[in-house]
Amino acid sequence: MSIKKTCAKKKCCCKKSCVKESKMNVVQKILAAHIVEGDPEVDSELGIRIDQTLTQDATGTMAYLQFESMDVPHIRNELAVSYVDHNTVQIGFENADDHDFLASVAKKYGIVYSKAGNGICHQLHLERFGKPGKTLLGSDSHTPTGGGIGMIAIGAGGIDIAVAMAGGAFHIPTPKIVGVKLTGRLSKGCSAKDVILKVLSIYGTKGNVGKIFEYYGPGVATLDVPSRATITNMGAELGVTTSVFPSDKVTRQFLEAQGRGKDWVELVADKNATYDETVTIDLSKIEPLMAAPHSPGNIVTVKSMKGKKVNQIMIGSCTNSSYRDIRTVALYLKGKHVADDVEVGIACGSRQVVNMLVEDGSLAILIKAGCRILENACGFCIGAHMSPRTEAISLRTNNRNFEGRSGTKSAQVYLVSPETAAAAALTGKVEDPRKNAVSSVPAPKKFPIDDAMFLYRNTAGKGVKKTEIVRGPNIAPVPKGVPLAKSIKGVCTIKVGDKITTDHIMPAGARLKFRSNIPQYAKFVFEPCDASFHDKCMANKEKGLANVIIAGESYGQGSSREHAALCPMFLGVKAVVAKSIERIHRANLVNFGIVPFIFDDAKVYDKINAGDEVEFSNILEAVKGDGKVTIKIGKNTFTATATLSDREKHLILCGGLLASLK
Ligand code: MIC
Ligand code: SF4
């Protein structure tokens, strides 16, 4: 990535005025103002300063337990917000214990606390806190939603957020910047979801690690901020580091309507800005699309699925829960009723969205039409509400349709736009939403502001020192990693295939409530693949043997949950050997001292069986050196490589990030 501070002036001062006259794109501009380590011209990694952080409850408890152990009196970044949106079902005491813990931590350390019921972290952050030109790090993979407002917003593991709150840098691979030029205007009945599904149809869900997508071109001005945020949100499914839109007049209008006009800065690519790669998408040619089971990259046209019987329709999630989205659905359903044989659930993104729907009568329309109105939370998206019936066809506006994520293994989940969801709700079949399309919802001139469910805003950044942290029985201490041994003898405890998601490794849904209790949560590692994984690991651990995971392509796709590394670490997993590993999960493995190896020759994978004995005779030397290791598995000997930066080597040698800090 080149960050050239080229200046038209004779004497280059490399200050703001230079940047204005340079040839930089938006990503380069934001990064140039935040790089604290590394050289953008060198293909390695960059350390960037983090202005804002966000956590959600399911990853937040661990992030704050780790922050606590860093002994920092209060947060050192500009703003930290702790949202409660994932575990809000509260069956049993565990979720409520977590909420109280999070609230007390927020009060003590100067973090803004968003109470359960306030809304989904990404929607709320966009509405109330996001600022163009700033960096945001969140312990949730859909943090790039903030890119819709011109931020570099990145998802990461909880411990990375803890470090950023303590003032430390965050490290990203030196990015390749992909320019996505948008031209034309979407036709009626099509929306931002169809755009990102189109991008997914071009780029797929793998092979994009380390890239940042920047949207530019005349089509950008035709998209409002919530639509832009839908597109950057699902950049997570591409596997990219983040996605960014410019901050322009549309952004200014949005911020002014949120009463935050002062937060606006203009941030657009310079006239002659370049990208490492470009692609052009003509919005006027986009047609309604859907992602078929079981991958967000499995794109088909709505036309090709027309008439398919549907059992359930779920509208909401951080991808499509803005006022624009739900109002659009209400316009489709106005004066009508959903088909008898479908159930329709709607979860709004925030209280602000609900208030607006109340005021303009949309909520009444939706209730009258027979929709079930759910809490403003993640709920159904993470399998924590309204799991569909056996073998159901469920149309959903969220971002992931991994097998079983809905809570029903046999369900077939299709990801669609709010328009496609609404059209299907009326007939119980897949319909083309362009037929009977409703008019587009204009960007509101003024959003109703009610920040009453954000607590501790007055002490943000400072905190209340004397606050006692509330620790119910569900809050267990964070396990510590141990330094890397010279050599490792162990067992291939599990062999998994391609595209194993973090939902396979560390299931959410009904298991989500154990997020702050690692020994308990670790019982469910790989539950959907091999429910005996935990017991096998413990048995090996007792014999002094290491556990090793063998995987195919794109291992660790999906969420940012560090538990998919932390719990395996707790079970004595020392290495993963895969054909490829996704960015956030790879970083989490390193953070917890698990070595992420890639096969030098992917064909070796076929020769390995679960249960084979494994030996890494020179692992310590390999990690210290070029990362190349010789592995004996069963009767085969082969090589694999862990390409690690010096920083990452240090973390692994210490036994993980937390151990390294100590
Ligand atoms: C998800 O959508 O998978 C989640 C649940 O929001 C995760 C975070 C988590 O596992 O807590 C994510 O996207 O990072
Ligand atoms: Fe919540 Fe779903 Fe968004 Fe994850 S993807 S943050 S579970 S709404």
Side-chain angles (χ1 to χ4, degrees):
M1 181 195 76
S2 159
I3 295 187
K4 286 187 196 125
K5 291 184 177 164
T6 41
C7 178
K9 280 184 189 170
K10 273 191 188 148
K11 275 191 181 171
C12 178
C13 56
C14 282
K15 295 237 172 79
K16 266 194 177 162
S17 57
C18 298
V19 171
K20 264 190 193 154
E21 291 165 34
S22 72
K23 297 176 181 174
M24 292 164 102
N25 55 46
V26 172
V27 174
Q28 288 167 328
K29 287 184 186 187
I30 304 177
L31 287 183
H34 288 86
I35 293 177
V36 289
E37 278 168 43
D39 179 353
E41 309 294 330
V42 179
D43 201 9
S44 175
E45 61 174 21
L46 299 174
I48 58 171
R49 184 168 42 79
I50 296 300
D51 302 318
Q52 302 188 346
T53 53
L54 72 77
T55 54
Q56 40 89 341
D57 52 311
T59 52
T61 45
M62 215 25 79
Y64 295 116
L65 283 166
Q66 292 170 129
F67 180 74
E68 256 193 305
S69 71
M70 289 175 194
D71 264 347
V72 179
H74 52 74
I75 60 146
R76 292 185 178 144
N77 60 328
E78 285 176 19
L79 172 81
V81 190
S82 170
Y83 294 94
V84 177
D85 55 1
H86 280 61
N87 276 321
T88 60
V89 180
Q90 296 177 221
I91 298 173
F93 62 90
E94 292 90 346
N95 298 166
D97 272 12
D98 286 358
H99 301 174
D100 276 5
F101 167 76
L102 291 169
S104 60
V105 167
K107 189 172 180 189
K108 176 161 181 169
Y109 292 107
I111 297 157
V112 177
Y113 179 68
S114 171
K115 288 174 81 174
N118 202 19
I120 303 175
C121 57
H122 308 304
Q123 173 70 22
L124 286 169
H125 207 84
L126 198 70
E127 290 172 0
R128 306 305 304 141
F129 299 109
K131 290 186 187 175
K134 297 281 183 186
T135 51
L136 165 69
L137 195 69
S139 60
D140 190 280
S141 64
H142 292 103
T143 304
T145 311
I149 209 169
M151 306 184 87
I152 293 267
I154 305 175
I159 192 161
D160 289 315
I161 315 307
V163 168
M165 287 190 298
F170 177 67
H171 297 83
I172 54 169
T174 311
K176 294 266 167 299
I177 306 172
V178 179
V180 186
K181 184 172 180 181
L182 301 179
T183 62
R185 177 183 284 276
L186 285 168
S187 29
K188 260 186 160 187
C190 297
S191 65
K193 184 63 154 284
D194 301 307
V195 179
I196 186 61
L197 293 179
K198 177 76 191 172
V199 178
L200 276 155
S201 77
I202 301 169
Y203 281 92
T205 54
K206 56 180 190 152
N208 303 313
V209 175
K211 293 180 180 172
I212 297 185
F213 277 38
E214 176 173 327
Y215 292 83
Y216 72 106
V220 165
T222 68
L223 299 172
D224 60 10
V225 166
S227 301
R228 295 175 185 188
T230 294
I231 295 171
T232 56
N233 170 285
M234 264 190 95
E237 278 51 69
L238 293 161
V240 298
T241 301
T242 190
S243 310
V244 184
F245 270 83
S247 167
D248 56 8
K249 284 185 195 144
V250 175
T251 323
R252 181 169 66 190
Q253 192 278 330
F254 174 82
L255 285 170
E256 280 170 353
Q258 288 286 355
R260 300 204 289 125
K262 277 201 256 124
D263 290 343
W264 182 74
V265 289
E266 186 176 43
L267 197 56
V268 293
D270 294 324
K271 209 164 147 230
N272 297 315
T274 56
Y275 298 91
D276 294 308
E277 190 183 321
T278 55
V279 62
T280 300
I281 295 179
D282 181 351
L283 296 176
S284 65
K285 297 217 171 95
I286 298 257
E287 61 173 309
L289 298 171
M290 54 211 290
H294 295 289
S295 166
N298 201 1
I299 309 298
V300 296
T301 61
V302 167
K303 213 165 48 191
S304 70
M305 303 296 290
K306 195 167 177 285
K308 188 174 177 68
K309 178 88 200 64
V310 172
N311 309 103
Q312 186 194 54
I313 292 158
M314 301 304 300
I315 299 166
S317 91
C318 57
T319 320
N320 279 123
S321 60
S322 65
Y323 170 72
R324 180 250 162 246
D325 290 333
I326 314 294
R327 171 73 182 152
T328 302
V329 173
L331 293 176
Y332 270 91
L333 301 191
K334 193 169 180 182
K336 301 179 182 141
H337 203 274
V338 304
D340 287 349
D341 46 1
V342 283
E343 56 173 3
V344 181
I346 299 188
C348 296
S350 68
R351 281 163 76 240
Q352 183 180 83
V353 172
V354 177
N355 283 335
M356 293 173 79
L357 298 172
V358 170
E359 274 166 29
D360 72 5
S362 302
L363 197 64
I365 295 173
L366 296 170
I367 292 170
K368 225 170 170 181
C371 301
R372 287 169 65 182
I373 308 299
L374 317 180
E375 192 178 13
N376 319 322
C378 299
F380 76 85
C381 174
I382 190 62
H385 203 163
M386 280 186 83
S387 295
R389 64 149 226 226
T390 307
E391 285 171 15
I393 303 293
S394 178
L395 258 53
R396 298 177 161 223
T397 67
N398 60 308
N399 44 40
R400 290 185 175 142
N401 58 346
F402 303 145
E403 189 177 13
R405 182 179 162 98
S406 66
T408 306
K409 193 153 195 275
S410 63
Q412 305 280 312
V413 174
Y414 290 81
L415 305 177
V416 298
S417 69
E419 289 81 351
T420 302
L426 291 171
T427 62
K429 294 189 193 108
V430 176
E431 302 285 356
D432 190 329
R434 290 172 297 185
K435 194 179 153 207
N436 305 324
V438 298
S439 25
S440 60
V441 176
K445 291 208 167 55
K446 182 127 194 54
F447 291 97
I449 316 290
D450 173 0
D451 287 340
M453 284 177 83
F454 288 110
L455 306 189
Y456 316 129
R457 278 168 303 151
N458 297 338
T459 48
K462 297 183 212 82
V464 180
K465 265 192 210 150
K466 282 193 185 138
T467 309
E468 203 179 309
I469 306 284
V470 183
R471 261 175 254 274
N474 196 40
I475 313 287
V478 193
K480 290 183 198 103
V482 290
L484 185 67
K486 216 165 148 196
S487 59
I488 285 178
K489 268 196 178 177
V491 179
C492 161
T493 320
I494 192 166
K495 180 183 173 183
V496 289
D498 291 344
K499 291 193 180 184
I500 287 296
T501 70
T502 50
D503 281 309
H504 291 104
I505 307 170
M506 227 32 282
R511 307 301 186 203
L512 205 57
K513 66 180 184 179
F514 300 120
R515 281 292 178 86
S516 47
N517 188 339
I518 299 304
Q520 182 60 25
Y521 198 32
K523 291 184 180 151
F524 307 109
V525 178
F526 279 120
E527 190 186 25
C529 307
D530 175 2
S532 64
F533 182 78
H534 167 270
D535 293 353
K536 286 180 186 158
C537 284
M538 292 312 263
N540 290 335
K541 217 177 149 185
E542 261 174 39
K543 288 185 219 150
L545 293 170
N547 292 296
V548 175
I549 296 167
I550 300 294
E553 295 277 9
S554 291
Y555 181 70
Q557 270 192 0
S559 97
S560 67
R561 68 193 68 147
E562 65 188 356
H563 298 76
L566 175 52
C567 291
M569 177 197 88
F570 175 76
L571 297 180
V573 173
K574 300 290 177 192
V576 171
V577 192
K579 291 184 186 172
S580 65
I581 306 178
E582 290 299 305
R583 175 189 69 88
I584 305 183
H585 186 59
R586 184 191 167 283
N588 285 335
L589 290 172
V590 171
N591 280 347
F592 292 99
I594 299 177
V595 197
F597 286 110
I598 305 296
F599 290 105
D600 286 342
D601 174 6
K603 285 193 213 111
V604 186
Y605 170 90
D606 298 328
K607 298 186 180 158
I608 303 171
N609 296 306
D612 281 351
E613 283 177 11
V614 184
E615 190 174 345
F616 297 75
S617 44
N618 62 346
I619 194 161
L620 188 74
E621 283 313 306
V623 168
K624 283 185 180 164
D626 61 2
K628 204 179 254 309
V629 77
T630 303
I631 314 177
K632 206 171 155 227
I633 299 194
K635 289 186 189 119
N636 301 291
T637 301
F638 58 91
T639 60
T641 307
T643 309
L644 301 163
S645 67
D646 288 345
R647 182 188 64 86
E648 291 174 325
K649 286 179 185 177
H650 175 67
L651 299 188
I652 290 180
L653 294 175
C654 294
L657 180 47
L658 205 57
S660 85
L661 295 176
K662 291 205 162 150

